Amino acid sequence: MGKSKRAIALSGGGPPVGTQVGALKALDEFGIEFDVFSTDCIGSWTACIFNSHPPHKRIEKLEEFYKLCFVKDDIFEGFSVPVDIFVTDYFEELRLMLAKAADLSIYQDLFLPHRIYEYMQHYLNPANFPKSTVDLSLMWTKGLSLNPFCRLLFKLMYRTEKSGRSWLLGPGDHGADIVDNYIDFDRLMRIQERIYVNAYNLTQKRIDLFTNRLNPETCKTITLDALKANSSILGYLQNREIDGDKYCEGSVVDTVNFKHLKEHIHDLEEVWVLNILDYKTVRPPRNQLEADLLGVELPFTTIAHDDVKLFECYVKQNGYANKIKVVRIDMSYKDLDFFWKWSTLEKGIEIGYQGAVKTINDYFLNTPGRRTRGGRITTNRRTNKKKVAVAA
C-alpha cells in the first residue's frame, strides 16, 4: 500500500446504501479524502463510482446510479423487486427446466407405495384424525410430500441447475453498458487511491481480494465480473464464475472487508468505518417481504458489528492504538428500512449526511490540530501531509 495513510471501510448491506452516499457527500464538503477504500458488496460499487469521476461529479454520479438501482415507491408497493438490477433470464430458465425434465433420473422415487401405505394406515386410525386446522394442514402437507406430481414439480423448481432466482444486472457481460456510464475501470487503474473489493470463493473456500492494481500474486484486478461476484447474494442471485471458481458476496465472511487492512496496518494513520447496518435497529417483520429481507440482512448486521469490534481490539492488542485512529461514522438508522425504493434511498442519504457531519465535528473537536465545524481537512498528495483550511 506504499504511502497510504488514511483508509475508509465501506460495508455491504444493500438498501441502506444511501447512508454511504450522504456520508461521502459530507466528507467531500469537509475536504476529508482517503488513500484506501476497503469495501464489500454494495460498498464496492460506491467506492468504484466515487473514484471514477472528478470531485465535482462523483456524488452526483452516485445518486444517479443508485436511483437506477432502486424502484419508484408506487411500483415497489405492488412488485417489490429491484427489476433493473435483479434480472431474470426466463428463456434460459425454461431451457434449464426442460433439460431437467429430459433427465430420466428426475423420475426416480416419485412414487413411494410403502410410504403412501404408512400414511394411509396412520390417518385411517380414528385416533389420528385431525383435531384442529393445524392438524388438518399437517395432514395435507404430508400428503403433498408423497404425491408424485408434487414431488416432480418440487424437483423441477428446486433441483434445476441454478443457484439463485436471478442475475445481478443479467448473465455474462449484461449490464456493462449501464455500468460503463458510472465506473471507469481504466481510470481506476491510474488513480493513486487504492480500492480493495472482496468476494467469497465458494470453490476454494476462501476470501479473495480484487484491487485497482496489477498485483496477481496477492489480488486480482477489479472488473465488472469481480463486482458482480462480490455482490452475489446467496439464494437471490446466481453465483458468479471467475477463472472456473464460483463466488458469492464477501459479506458472508467479512462484511466490512478488514482483512487486508490488518495485513498493511503499519502504513495507516486513520481508519474511518462506514457500516451501513445496525442490528440494534432491526424491527420484527410484519409480512413475508420484510421477513425475507431480514433473513438476508440480519446476519450481515451482526457480522459487521463484530468485525468492527474485532478490528478495534486488533489495533489495541498489537500496539497500534497510539498510531492509528479508528473513526466510526455514527448515524441513526432507526428510521431506515431494507426496501429497494426511492424513499429509502433518499432517507438514507439524509441520515448518512447528518451522521457524518456529527462524526466529523466530533473528530475535529477530539483530534489535535483540527478545527470544529466549518473547518476543512485535506491531504497534500505529494507530501501526504494534512492541512486545515478554514471555510468561509
Side-chain angles (χ1 to χ4, degrees):
M1 285 177 15
K3 295 181 179 180
S4 298
K5 298 300 179 183
R6 186 186 293 119
I8 184 169
L10 300 175
S11 80
V17 69
T19 57
Q20 291 181 351
V21 179
L24 288 173
K25 180 179 180 181
L27 290 163
D28 247 13
E29 290 179 0
F30 278 83
I32 298 178
E33 299 177 343
F34 298 93
D35 304 283
V36 179
F37 290 76
S38 178
T39 69
D40 177 65
C41 197
I42 205 160
S44 306
W45 295 86
T46 298
C48 288
I49 296 169
F50 185 81
N51 287 286
S52 289
H53 304 278
H56 68 283
K57 295 288 289 183
R58 50 198 187 189
I59 300 301
E60 175 188 332
K61 287 295 185 179
L62 276 172
E63 292 181 351
E64 282 183 12
F65 178 77
Y66 285 127
K67 271 210 162 184
L68 290 176
C69 297
F70 284 68
V71 180
K72 295 181 178 69
D73 284 41
D74 55 345
I75 297 177
F76 188 88
E77 289 304 316
F79 198 83
S80 305
V81 178
V83 292
D84 287 321
I85 55 172
F86 284 16
V87 179
T88 300
D89 186 346
Y90 293 105
F91 294 99
E92 176 63 12
E93 289 202 356
L94 178 60
R95 186 194 70 79
L96 290 172
M97 187 169 289
L98 291 175
K100 189 68 175 176
D103 181 2
L104 296 181
S105 66
I106 195 176
Y107 301 101
Q108 295 179 1
D109 299 324
L110 291 183
F111 184 57
L112 303 175
H114 62 295
R115 299 301 180 195
I116 295 175
Y117 176 77
E118 290 175 356
Y119 173 83
M120 294 181 65
Q121 285 289 102
H122 178 80
Y123 282 107
L124 286 175
N125 185 341
N128 297 323
F129 283 175
K131 299 178 178 61
S132 66
T133 56
V134 176
D135 290 344
L136 189 61
S137 297
L138 182 61
M139 182 184 74
W140 179 260
T141 304
K142 287 182 176 181
L144 290 177
S145 73
L146 298 174
N147 182 290
F149 176 76
C150 292
R151 292 172 63 81
L152 176 61
L153 188 61
F154 185 93
K155 285 188 176 185
L156 288 172
M157 290 178 63
Y158 289 97
R159 299 296 178 90
T160 299
E161 299 298 321
K162 52 178 291 189
S163 56
R165 302 174 192 172
S166 57
W167 292 96
L168 181 62
L169 296 174
D173 60 357
H174 286 268
D177 53 338
I178 298 174
V179 173
D180 286 344
N181 291 326
Y182 298 95
I183 299 179
D184 185 341
F185 290 101
D186 291 333
R187 175 187 170 91
L188 294 182
M189 297 298 290
R190 297 193 304 268
I191 61 175
Q192 294 183 18
E193 291 81 359
R194 296 291 296 270
I195 303 171
Y196 290 90
V197 171
N198 75 356
Y200 185 65
N201 189 323
L202 289 163
T203 305
Q204 304 296 333
K205 297 177 177 59
R206 69 185 184 214
I207 282 283
D208 283 352
L209 287 177
F210 302 81
T211 187
N212 58 330
R213 292 290 187 276
L214 294 175
N215 190 7
E217 293 182 2
T218 57
C219 299
K220 299 180 181 181
T221 303
I222 294 177
T223 61
L224 178 57
D225 266 350
L227 291 176
K228 285 187 174 186
N230 148 278
S231 303
S232 297
I233 307 168
L234 285 171
Y236 282 82
L237 297 173
Q238 296 210 48
N239 302 131
R240 194 71 182 175
E241 185 173 311
I242 300 177
D243 298 332
D245 290 344
K246 294 281 189 178
Y247 285 85
C248 70
E249 62 176 327
S251 291
V252 296
V253 176
D254 189 351
T255 305
V256 195
N257 194 13
F258 283 128
K259 181 178 184 290
H260 80 278
L261 288 181
K262 291 194 298 184
E263 295 174 356
H264 301 281
I265 199 168
H266 57 278
D267 292 323
L268 300 174
E269 292 178 354
E270 295 176 2
V271 176
W272 292 59
V273 181
L274 180 46
N275 178 20
I276 65 176
L277 299 168
D278 183 2
Y279 72 90
K280 295 179 182 177
T281 63
V282 169
R283 296 185 292 266
R286 295 168 295 183
N287 50 54
Q288 188 62 53
L289 172 63
E290 293 184 4
D292 285 349
L293 291 171
L294 189 59
V296 174
E297 298 289 352
L298 185 56
F300 295 157
T301 66
T302 54
I303 294 171
H305 181 266
D306 292 343
D307 282 349
V308 175
K309 290 180 66 176
L310 287 170
F311 182 74
E312 289 176 331
C313 289
Y314 181 87
V315 169
K316 292 178 181 178
Q317 291 177 0
N318 287 274
Y320 295 110
N322 294 326
K323 176 182 179 294
I324 299 175
K325 185 177 183 66
V326 179
V327 183
R328 289 201 198 196
I329 302 178
D330 295 320
M331 55 194 72
S332 173
Y333 300 93
K334 62 180 180 294
D335 297 322
L336 205 57
D337 55 45
F338 295 135
F339 295 145
W340 288 95
K341 59 183 182 180
W342 276 16
S343 59
T344 298
L345 175 64
E346 292 164 357
K347 188 181 294 184
I349 292 174
E350 180 61 24
I351 289 173
Y353 182 83
Q354 296 298 335
V357 167
K358 179 181 181 301
T359 301
I360 294 166
N361 284 331
D362 292 341
Y363 169 81
F364 286 156
L365 283 170
N366 298 316
T367 306
R370 303 299 190 269
R371 298 185 64 87
T372 55
R373 187 172 185 176
R376 292 180 181 274
I377 178 170
T378 59
T379 300
N380 185 314
R381 291 294 175 188
R382 291 184 179 179
T383 63
N384 213 34
K385 292 180 180 178
K386 308 171 191 66
K387 65 176 182 179
V388 176
V390 181

